[in-house]
């Protein structure tokens, strides 16, 4: 995707077998800054403090984090310790564990002398595959957007999205945004309702910034406006991302996604989820009961940051000193509320049978 007209990815290698650079997403949309990751702890911090976030990008960053750790010491002990440190950074997005398991499976049996090169190569493969997967999701989702647009008499196709499942959440393209970017590039009139996504405002800060950079018409709304817009025919479909989807098609995503799916069901608005296959957790069947929900620092709820008129970034308190707060970062939308899962292999129904039919080799492995 482009930043000021220049094509970029969200993570890249500075030099062979060396440091990695990322876009520091905690600074957007007001400042565009690059951060360098030179050691395991830099990668772990980047994930934990959300300099990088979004399930696929967390996975790719963790893979490079292992490479950085082995660069310092390619021993078994270091491999296992680094894997444990990275796995503990965030609990919900399964891509993190998926990427670490894939790296460890490859690296564990190798002699120490071969590990560093192999780790960098595999991390690069994970990043490149993410880009390919998202491009395929884009093509499969585009067909849905084209069909819905044909059924409209006038006006652009109105898509509602929640959080940031854009290219910033992945290595490139995004998942939910890939069909949107492709539709826009193909000249299909499209407009995006962007949920602000409290408490961290990934919609208002990141999705809006991305869409503005790509020239896609969009409007930021408060999280509670979606239901009203759906009741008044202002939303043609919803597309969100996911951090972990159960084998039965229950979708875990940024908190508030479930409420959008309920409103969509009540208003017959199609509710699609863009789902790269590494995000499927075939070991889980009941997403609501089994997917661990991250609880984050309460200050994300009690305080908010933004740019003051004089250009300074300021953080202010929103809630009374005496009030308690809770900060659940994700929720689970049951499969019955999901119209379809847009994967790199096609569109699946949100059901065990349909998901397993698209990914039989993975479904079999965890059976
Ligand atoms: O807490 P975040 O910002 O990492 O949450 C991100 C999301 O909820 C995204 O929708 C999800 O990771 C899908 S990313 C393609």
């Amino acid at each position: 995707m482009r930043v000021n007209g220049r094509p970029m990815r969200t993570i890249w290698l500075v030099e062979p077998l060396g440091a990695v650079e990322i876009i520091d997403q905690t600074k957007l949309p007001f400042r565009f800054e690059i951060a360098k990751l030179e050691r395991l702890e830099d990668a772990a911090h980047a994930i934990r403090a959300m300099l990088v976030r979004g399930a696929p990008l967390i996975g790719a960053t963790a893979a490079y984090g292992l490479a950085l750790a082995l660069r310092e010491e390619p021993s078994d002990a270091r491999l296992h310790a680094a894997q444990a440190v990275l796995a503990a950074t965030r609990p919900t997005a399964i891509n993190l564990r998926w990427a670490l398991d894939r790296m460890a499976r490859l690296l564990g049996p190798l002699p120490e002398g071969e590990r560093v090169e192999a780790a960098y190569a595999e991390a690069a493969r994970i990043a490149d595959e993410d880009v390919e997967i998202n491009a395929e999701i884009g093509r499969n989702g585009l067909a849905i957007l084209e069909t819905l647009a044909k059924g409209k008499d006038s006006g652009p196709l109105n898509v509602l999205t929640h959080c940031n499942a854009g290219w910033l959440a992945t290595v490139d393209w995004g998942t939910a945004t890939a069909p949107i970017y492709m539709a826009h590039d193909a000249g299909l009139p499209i407009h995006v309702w962007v949920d602000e996504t409290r408490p961290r405002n990934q919609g208002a800060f990141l999705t809006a910034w991305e869409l503005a950079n790509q020239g896609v018409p969009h409007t930021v709304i408060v999280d509670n406006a979606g239901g009203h817009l759906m009741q008044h025919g202002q939303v043609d479909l919803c597309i969100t991302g996911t951090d972990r989807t159960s084998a039965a098609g229950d979708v875990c995503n940024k908190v508030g996604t479930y409420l959008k799916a309920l409103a969509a069901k009540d208003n017959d608005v199609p509710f699609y989820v863009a789902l790269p296959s590494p995000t499927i957790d075939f070991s889980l069947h009941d997403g609501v009961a089994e997917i661990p929900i991250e609880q984050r620092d309460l200050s994300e709820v009690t305080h908010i940051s933004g740019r003051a008129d004089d250009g300074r970034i300021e953080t202010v308190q929103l809630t009374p000193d005496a009030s308690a707060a809770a900060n659940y970062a994700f929720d689970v939308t049951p499969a019955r509320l999901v119209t379809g899962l847009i994967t790199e292999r096609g569109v699946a129904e949100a059901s065990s049978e349909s998901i397993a039919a698209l990914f039989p080799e993975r479904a079999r492995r965890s059976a």
Side-chain angles (χ1 to χ4, degrees), residues 68-124:
L68 293 171
L70 293 177
R71 188 166 72 125
E72 289 167 10
E73 185 198 311
S75 66
D76 276 357
R78 180 69 169 158
L79 176 61
H80 295 139
Q83 197 179 352
V85 166
L86 289 161
T89 50
R90 293 195 70 189
T92 299
I94 191 66
N95 305 57
L96 175 66
R97 215 175 66 205
W98 169 86
L100 290 171
D101 287 350
R102 173 169 159 172
M103 295 285 288
R105 259 197 318 273
L106 173 88
L107 300 170
L110 293 181
E112 289 189 3
E114 292 176 20
R115 280 183 180 165
V116 176
E117 211 163 314
Y120 274 94
E122 191 66 359

Side-chain angles (χ1 to χ4, degrees), residues 70-268:
L70 293 177
R71 188 166 72 125
E72 289 167 10
E73 185 198 311
S75 66
D76 276 357
R78 180 69 169 158
L79 176 61
H80 295 139
Q83 197 179 352
V85 166
L86 289 161
T89 50
R90 293 195 70 189
T92 299
I94 191 66
N95 305 57
L96 175 66
R97 215 175 66 205
W98 169 86
L100 290 171
D101 287 350
R102 173 169 159 172
M103 295 285 288
R105 259 197 318 273
L106 173 88
L107 300 170
L110 293 181
E112 289 189 3
E114 292 176 20
R115 280 183 180 165
V116 176
E117 211 163 314
Y120 274 94
E122 191 66 359
R125 256 192 301 275
I126 286 174
D128 289 344
E129 282 174 22
D130 178 62
V131 181
E132 285 162 29
I133 286 173
N134 299 335
E136 284 303 326
I137 287 175
R139 286 187 268 276
N140 294 330
L142 175 60
I144 295 170
L145 299 189
E146 285 171 337
T147 304
L148 288 170
K150 277 197 199 110
K152 276 197 85 161
D153 293 337
S154 62
L157 191 71
N158 286 301
V159 184
L160 183 142
T161 191
H162 191 70
C163 194
N164 174 262
W167 73 273
L168 288 171
T170 65
V171 178
D172 205 349
W173 280 113
T175 59
T177 54
I180 294 170
Y181 290 136
M182 288 191 187
H184 178 69
D185 290 349
L188 191 134
I190 194 158
H191 165 262
V192 184
W193 295 111
V194 179
D195 280 356
E196 63 177 350
T197 320
R198 276 283 288 153
R200 289 187 65 99
N201 292 315
Q202 289 96 327
F205 287 175
L206 304 177
T207 305
W209 179 83
E210 272 192 26
L211 293 171
N213 263 289
Q214 310 307 316
V216 179
H218 62 283
T219 306
V220 179
I221 51 175
V222 295
D223 289 323
N224 295 325
H228 166 77
L229 291 171
M230 290 185 216
Q231 283 176 323
H232 291 271
Q234 299 292 305
V235 181
D236 296 306
L237 77 159
C238 304
I239 312 181
T240 73
T242 170
D243 288 78
R244 192 187 295 217
T245 291
S246 75
D250 300 324
V251 170
C252 182
N253 192 49
K254 182 56 53 191
V255 71
T257 303
Y258 172 45
L259 294 180
K260 291 301 129 62
L262 283 172
K265 187 77 168 178
D266 193 43
N267 290 283
D268 290 326

Side-chain angles (χ1 to χ4, degrees), residues 296-312:
R296 297 188 54 85
D297 199 280
L298 303 184
S299 65
E300 293 180 353
V301 175
T302 58
H303 290 67
I304 197 163
S305 298
R307 185 170 64 191
D309 288 346
D310 64 5
R312 276 182 306 134

